[in-house]
Amino acid sequence: MGTVIAVLFGAVALIIVITLIRAVRIVPQQRQDVVERLGKYKRTLNPGLNLLVPFIDAVRTKVDMREQVVSFPPQPVITSDNLVVSIDTVLYFKVVDSVRATYEISNFLQAIEQLTVTTLRNVIGSLDLERALTSREEINRHLSGVLDETTGRWGIKVTRVEIKAIEPPPSIRDSMEKQMRAERDRRAAILNAEGHKQSQILSAEGEKQAAVLRADGDRQARILQAEGQAKAIRTVFDAIHQANPSQKVLAYQYLQALPQIANGQANKVWIVPAELTKALEGLGGALGGLGQMAGDAPSEQASSDASAVEREAAEAARAAAEAAQEVTNEVRAAEAQATSGSRPAGLPAPEPVSPANLIGETAPEGRPERA
């Protein structure tokens, strides 16, 4: 008897524990449980501690309210230019109404996948391959709009649709690679040509500027040289006029220039006046006359300093006369040597030239003849 009572007590305790377990429901965060009572929707359990009627209320589904990511397998799609491409898509969605997601559609995930594939085929079918490859943002916006409009009545919000990859056929990829390679080669050739053009232009501009600078430098140098020569001539001219030289000084300067005229390998013939002293006096008189005409008479200081110069001029005149006589003798000896046996037969020998004729004869208009 005692044993039967103990078994009954244990059974009652077990039933009470099971009832309590089925009556208490703890729902975690970001989840909602749909509760049915006797097969009919009763209420939705929110996160936290909830109490149910044991053996009457039952949880139909547990809906995750967080945003979910689903990657669909590649789908073959035909473009408007009859090319088959494989497209991978990624879908982001979240459940906003757990009741409608439970009762409006049996499997909302499968429905979203099929809707995405059909919408994607419609969109890609109206585009060619090149536009499909470059219009991903437009395709994503169109897919998001269509899916959001359709899944809204299911209690699902499509937040974003992304095209992960668009794979054209291998032959088309090869053609595209060749086209891109040719385009890059063309751009490289254009850039090289433009670089060469710019380098030629810069080189020509540099040469032009260099030529202009060289010409300007040459012009400045010539101007400075001419100014220097002008200043030198002006200085000499002013010094001569300030010194106011006499005739004997000018004759002395002429005598100093005679050895330089005679010295030189190319001076084979040179001028010897008939009367050297008179010629020097005439030259000095002419220059003195020009000085008087210009108002450049010798000053008293120049006259006092000219006595020593006159003595040196007289001595130089005598030395020049002796040098002229020696030159006359050398010329005569050379002519005699040239006429002795070296001339062709039948030609008369030249007349001998005397030193007097060589020195005394003068050319017309008062100029000495050339030896």
Side-chain angles (χ1 to χ4, degrees):
M1 187 66 183
T3 304
V4 174
I5 294 173
V7 170
L8 290 176
F9 182 77
V12 172
L14 179 62
I15 292 172
I16 293 172
V17 171
I18 295 174
T19 302
L20 291 175
I21 292 174
R22 293 180 64 88
V24 177
R25 178 71 62 177
I26 299 176
V27 179
Q29 186 67 30
Q30 291 294 329
R31 198 186 79 179
Q32 289 182 352
D33 293 350
V34 178
V35 177
E36 293 181 348
R37 178 172 291 180
L38 300 177
K40 184 180 179 181
Y41 170 73
K42 177 62 177 176
R43 64 191 179 114
T44 302
L45 301 181
N46 294 319
L49 179 62
N50 297 275
L51 297 177
L52 301 177
V53 178
F55 307 105
I56 296 176
D57 295 341
V59 176
R60 168 69 183 271
T61 56
K62 298 176 181 179
V63 181
D64 192 352
M65 305 300 293
R66 294 175 297 179
E67 187 173 1
Q68 303 180 36
V69 182
V70 179
S71 178
F72 299 134
Q75 299 294 328
V77 181
I78 300 176
T79 61
S80 62
D81 49 356
N82 297 324
L83 293 176
V84 179
V85 295
S86 179
I87 300 179
D88 296 344
T89 55
V90 179
L91 181 66
Y92 297 83
F93 71 95
K94 66 183 299 184
V95 178
V96 295
D97 192 341
S98 59
V99 177
R100 285 190 295 175
T102 303
Y103 294 104
E104 295 292 336
I105 190 168
S106 61
N107 190 346
F108 63 84
L109 187 59
Q110 184 179 3
I112 291 175
E113 180 181 359
Q114 296 301 322
L115 182 61
T116 302
V117 171
T118 55
T119 306
L120 187 62
R121 287 178 178 175
N122 293 332
V123 175
I124 298 298
S126 62
L127 303 175
D128 56 5
L129 178 61
E130 184 175 358
R131 189 177 175 186
L133 292 174
T134 58
S135 303
R136 294 193 178 187
E137 293 295 332
E138 181 181 355
I139 297 172
N140 293 336
R141 287 195 301 269
H142 189 76
L143 286 174
S144 297
V146 173
L147 292 174
D148 189 41
E149 181 181 0
T150 305
T151 59
R153 62 177 181 268
W154 299 340
I156 298 172
K157 174 66 176 178
V158 176
T159 58
R160 191 171 184 179
V161 180
E162 291 289 343
I163 295 178
K164 186 166 60 175
I166 299 178
E167 296 293 337
S171 58
I172 301 301
R173 288 200 299 268
D174 295 339
S175 299
M176 293 172 63
E177 290 177 359
K178 292 179 181 179
Q179 181 181 1
M180 293 303 298
R181 190 180 301 111
E183 180 67 19
R184 292 190 181 94
D185 293 340
R186 182 182 68 85
R187 293 179 182 177
I190 292 174
L191 292 176
N192 290 332
E194 290 180 353
H196 183 68
K197 174 183 175 182
Q198 292 295 330
S199 66
Q200 293 293 330
I201 291 174
L202 293 177
S203 299
E205 291 180 353
E207 292 177 358
K208 175 184 175 182
Q209 294 179 0
V212 170
L213 293 176
R214 283 195 295 268
D216 186 67
D218 189 20
R219 180 177 66 85
Q220 294 292 337
R222 292 185 179 182
I223 290 174
L224 294 176
Q225 186 177 5
E227 291 178 354
Q229 292 179 356
K231 289 182 180 179
I233 294 172
R234 190 180 301 111
T235 303
V236 173
F237 183 78
D238 293 341
I240 292 174
H241 280 264
Q242 290 177 3
N244 205 356
S246 63
Q247 298 180 1
K248 293 183 179 181
V249 174
L250 296 176
Y252 177 70
Q253 294 292 330
Y254 179 76
L255 291 175
Q256 286 183 342
L258 286 178
Q260 297 179 0
I261 297 174
N263 186 17
Q265 299 179 359
N267 297 328
K268 301 302 181 183
V269 179
W270 60 296
I271 301 172
V272 179
E275 295 180 358
L276 184 60
T277 306
K278 293 182 178 181
L280 294 176
E281 292 177 356
L283 180 61
L287 295 176
L290 293 175
Q292 292 177 0
M293 291 175 63
D296 295 334
S299 61
E300 296 178 357
Q301 184 178 0
S303 299
S304 62
D305 295 337
S307 59
V309 176
E310 290 178 357
R311 289 192 299 271
E312 293 180 0
E315 295 177 359
R318 288 193 298 272
E322 295 176 359
Q325 185 65 31
E326 292 178 359
V327 171
T328 302
N329 295 332
E330 291 179 358
V331 170
R332 182 177 179 183
E335 290 180 352
Q337 184 179 1
T339 56
S340 61
S342 60
R343 299 185 58 86
L347 296 177
E351 296 180 358
V353 181
S354 62
N357 293 332
L358 182 62
I359 300 175
E361 294 180 358
T362 58
E365 298 180 2
R367 293 184 179 181
E369 295 183 351
R370 295 179 179 275

